[in-house]
Amino acid sequence: MFRNALTRGSSACDVQDFDNPQESTIEPCDICGQELDDEHACLQSIPSSVLRVQDPRIGSIVVDHYILEEFVCESSTSLVYKARHQLLNSHVAVKISNSSGQRDPFSVVRTSRAAVIAVRLEHPNIVRCIEFSHEPNQQGILIMDWCTGTPLSQVIGKELALTPLRALNLLEGLCDALHYAQTQGVNHINLHPGGILIDNISGYEQAKLLDFGLMKMIAPHTSDIVASSEHFKYASPEERCGHPPDQRSMIYSLGLILLDMLTGRVEALNNQSPGNARLEVPTLLQLRSDMAEAAVIDKILSRCLATKASRRYQNIDELGLAINQAKMEVDRIQRAENLRLTNSKEQRSTLFWVLLLAIIFGICAAWNTIASELH
């Protein structure tokens, strides 16, 4: 059984011919140096990212002319590869759905229509979809521009808290992209920081939305949100209860993304929520009492994160307008704070020189007194 397990695909360990023990010799493993015996468990300690190098898809061609060169990552709905165009020699990102069985033909048609619209989207805050295809086994393949940006989830994990103005600027870009997509007949059904890339273009930071949940549409059980998925952590209360999402559900997700950018605490909030329930989300002022702009941003968060959808912003335009107003208020607060710090610094500097001069005059007066007494 051990021999069969090791000989599946390519292995870093050489397997001896156990059928002829007299001619075989036990050799050490190329990875850990231990002898290959029945208790050898080296492969169990190898990270999955290393074993993914053995992926049989590497080197294969998809959608006629894209050569898969490198495995990038895996989610509950898709596998992502870096690929190269055979003729143009340019790189693209290839997302392949995890669904491999025969699908409902109506679902395939519905997803294909959505993909046709998504491929037409041209917006600076949207990663461009180049083409979409279904393989004979009904696996969906989405070809996208190759972006060098960093997922927002990694930015949050590294920096823990973004500045208020930076977070609002990124959120405003996402709202612009979502508004544009809606005018083209597309809604984003899978909003979470892992599906947002932060790119730096000519020194200007830009948020870019990924594939608008097309992979989620063609994966099994598309009507359910898996509790372990990234989207579930940012899903609205109605989505967690199994109800279909709408614009107001997206607004709730955007509110949690904003809160996460400013605090990095959404993961902890999810750990406190039993099952599918969503506990009352604390205010930013409660989480960041040190933030001077917390009260201004809480006005947005209180509307975005309302438990009842009827109490939230009713569309992306309303949220975009509120963000624009909040940015002006945050800018005013920051300028007032900078002025206060500048004045405080100037006051401290003035006080320092006054004290220094007082000390010098005091020393001079004392010296004159001593000199007069000596004479």
Side-chain angles (χ1 to χ4, degrees), residues 63-236:
V63 195
D64 297 332
H65 40 242
Y66 296 100
I67 304 174
L68 301 183
E69 291 186 338
E70 179 185 341
F71 171 77
V72 179
C73 62
E74 180 177 3
S75 69
S76 60
T77 59
S78 60
L79 305 170
V80 181
Y81 294 87
K82 183 179 181 180
R84 177 173 51 85
H85 194 289
Q86 278 182 302
L87 302 177
L88 303 179
N89 205 34
S90 58
H91 284 99
V92 296
V94 176
K95 295 191 77 171
I96 303 176
S97 71
N98 277 337
S99 174
S100 58
Q102 290 295 320
R103 301 281 295 144
D104 175 9
F106 293 104
S107 174
V108 173
V109 171
R110 185 180 68 251
T111 306
S112 298
R113 288 176 178 173
V116 168
I117 299 175
V119 168
R120 294 175 182 171
L121 297 179
E122 293 280 352
H123 191 277
N125 295 100
I126 297 176
V127 177
R128 187 172 67 99
C129 297
I130 300 172
E131 57 183 303
F132 181 81
S133 175
H134 273 290
E135 293 293 280
N137 62 357
Q138 300 299 335
Q139 278 189 318
I141 298 181
L142 183 65
I143 311 296
M144 300 183 296
D145 278 342
W146 176 256
C147 293
T148 57
T150 305
L152 178 57
S153 55
Q154 292 184 18
V155 174
I156 294 172
K158 181 180 179 180
E159 302 187 24
L160 297 181
L162 281 62
T163 61
L165 196 57
R166 183 185 177 193
L168 289 173
N169 280 329
L170 292 176
L171 191 67
E172 188 175 39
L174 296 177
C175 288
D176 287 343
L178 290 169
H179 170 75
Y180 164 77
Q182 287 177 346
T183 63
Q184 305 299 311
V186 181
N187 280 319
H188 202 300
I189 60 174
N190 195 23
L191 282 170
H192 60 86
I196 300 168
L197 290 181
I198 306 301
D199 205 0
N200 197 297
I201 302 174
S202 302
Y204 176 72
E205 196 174 48
Q206 202 170 52
K208 289 179 173 285
L209 285 170
L210 288 174
D211 60 38
F212 282 74
L214 288 176
M215 291 293 110
K216 182 176 181 291
M217 291 177 67
I218 61 180
H221 312 296
T222 58
S223 60
D224 299 329
I225 303 178
V226 181
S228 60
S229 70
E230 283 301 307
H231 177 52
F232 180 85
K233 299 173 184 177
Y234 298 85
S236 62

Side-chain angles (χ1 to χ4, degrees), residues 265-287:
R265 296 284 300 275
V266 169
E267 184 70 35
L269 295 177
N270 277 286
N271 293 337
Q272 297 170 7
S273 301
N276 285 9
R278 166 71 76 187
L279 297 179
E280 192 72 25
V281 179
T283 65
L284 181 60
L285 195 58
Q286 291 174 319
L287 297 173

